[in-house]
Amino acid sequence: AARMATENHCDFPVPPIGGGGGGLGGPAGPCRRCSSAPPPGAVPGKWVRLNVGGTCFLTTRQTLCRDPKSFLFRLCQADPDLDSDKDETGAYLIDRDPTYFGPVLNYLRHGKLVINKDLAEEGVLEEAEFYNITSLIKLVKDKIRERDSKISQVSV
């Protein structure tokens, strides 16, 4: 059980300032958010790093576990059926579009659907379906229906 608890959280050491980065890539190295330590006083294992399509996100287990049927919940439980690789910073690698992941993560954080006007609702719906967040799927579908009915009213 002790071994399981250790594997259940990101404990990748923060790289030393100024060097020895070795195989971490060009001068940029890993994403600053991913390689930074959790906030001072943070509970070990509370914070989770995600590398979604090359963009790093830092969030809490509590946020990712809001929907017990979701892929992200299973990821936090270290579900053995999930083949989840990690990058060099210890972040879970997820091969999805980071642009559309932002609204999904924010929905899990505060329960509201906020979509930047430059983003297509269909893109957010695709991600909600991939992560299997049923309440978000319903909200986005409602928003698409509402948008489409406004468009049809204007064109009539």
Side-chain angles (χ1 to χ4, degrees), residues 39-94:
V43 179
K46 177 182 177 184
W47 292 91
V48 180
R49 292 187 189 99
L50 303 171
N51 180 336
V52 182
T55 300
C56 297
F57 294 86
L58 184 63
T59 189
T60 63
R61 262 176 216 293
Q62 182 182 1
T63 294
L64 295 181
C65 291
R66 289 265 154 79
D67 184 337
K69 293 189 224 71
S70 76
F71 166 85
L72 297 168
F73 180 89
R74 289 174 56 208
L75 192 70
C76 282
Q77 308 309 306
D79 187 329
D81 294 337
L82 284 183
D83 185 22
S84 50
D85 293 332
K86 291 185 177 182
D87 70 9
E88 69 276 1
T89 71
Y92 289 105
L93 284 165
I94 303 173

Side-chain angles (χ1 to χ4, degrees), residues 51-57 94 96-103 127 131:
N51 180 336
V52 182
T55 300
C56 297
F57 294 86
I94 303 173
R96 301 297 293 184
D97 187 333
T99 309
Y100 290 101
F101 180 69
E127 295 311 290
Y131 294 109

Side-chain angles (χ1 to χ4, degrees), residues 111-126:
K112 293 187 179 90
L113 174 60
V114 179
I115 302 176
N116 181 317
K117 62 180 173 52
D118 299 330
L119 292 183
E121 285 90 352
E122 286 80 2
V124 179
L125 176 61
E126 186 65 36

